[in-house]
Amino acid sequence: MNHTDSNRWRTVDIVVASVIAVAFGVVFWAWGLLWSATDAAFAFFPPAQAVLYGVWLIPAVLAGLIIRKPGAALYCETVAAIVSALLGSQWAGIVILQGLMQGIGAELAFAAFRYRSFKLPVAVLAGALTGLGAAIFDFVYWNKAYDLTSYRIPYALITIVSATVVAGFGAWVLTRALANTGVLDRFPAGRDRALV
């Protein structure tokens, strides 16, 4: 099989990517409720609430690690955002644009390695770049009225750190755990389990 054919999406790729996206769309909606409920807990330093951000970015990295095809990260993050909007996200339809920005970040990391490396450093980079996409969007859209040094910059940095750890490292660990169960045997990620 040549490299061009290996980049084609199979039916199982579409189904699994869609299942990941829909499942995380529900998680996104619920996580939004948790985010709002934790406002008071972060009153001491409001930008610190961004430590929770990484959960919203997991599907982009997870899909890239499992599906290993161009567009997987972008597709999953965007569809998850659409599902959360349809479920009634308190941020409404703008989350779809956020999902696009976040998915592009992870997609760039996998593309930088030509969709051929899916090791921990690439997963961490994908997490960091999806966090950067999220941070940029929030910086110019949600947080534009806040002070630059006391809120916007710390919030952006904490978002990137959360994404790196939770979405990058976390999705890599989740992929390994799923592979070890055998559910990913139809994917290269499942065949890598003996290497872990």
Side-chain angles (χ1 to χ4, degrees), residues 108-119:
L108 288 173
F110 295 116
F113 291 88
R114 301 181 64 194
Y115 300 94
R116 292 182 180 166
S117 179
F118 302 93
K119 294 180 171 32

Side-chain angles (χ1 to χ4, degrees), residues 153-169:
I153 291 174
Y155 180 95
L157 293 174
I158 294 167
T159 296
I160 294 167
V161 169
S162 175
T164 302
V165 174
V166 177
F169 181 72

Side-chain angles (χ1 to χ4, degrees), residues 49-196:
Q49 190 174 23
V51 74
L52 302 173
Y53 213 118
V55 170
W56 278 308
L57 308 172
I58 292 172
V61 181
L62 185 65
L65 292 172
I66 292 173
I67 308 298
R68 299 184 176 186
K69 311 264 180 173
L74 180 61
Y75 174 81
C76 268
E77 192 70 25
T78 304
V79 172
I82 291 167
V83 169
S84 75
L86 291 173
L87 290 173
S89 165
Q90 67 259 44
W91 298 290
I94 195 66
V95 297
I96 298 167
L97 184 55
Q98 273 184 284
L100 280 166
M101 283 280 296
Q102 295 159 357
I104 288 169
E107 201 68 49
L108 288 173
F110 295 116
F113 291 88
R114 301 181 64 194
Y115 300 94
R116 292 182 180 166
S117 179
F118 302 93
K119 294 180 171 32
L120 179 58
V122 177
V124 169
L125 177 62
L129 291 180
T130 195
L132 178 62
I136 290 170
F137 185 90
D138 288 4
F139 197 87
V140 299
Y141 187 83
W142 295 114
N143 299 336
K144 64 184 171 203
Y146 292 98
D147 183 71
L148 183 66
T149 55
S150 69
Y151 191 91
R152 291 169 78 190
I153 291 174
Y155 180 95
L157 293 174
I158 294 167
T159 296
I160 294 167
V161 169
S162 175
T164 302
V165 174
V166 177
F169 181 72
W172 184 81
V173 169
L174 182 56
T175 302
R176 302 280 70 80
L178 289 169
N180 287 334
T181 69
V183 300
L184 300 180
D185 285 351
R186 303 236 2 214
F187 297 90
R191 294 186 287 278
D192 287 350
R193 74 175 172 214
L195 306 173
V196 176

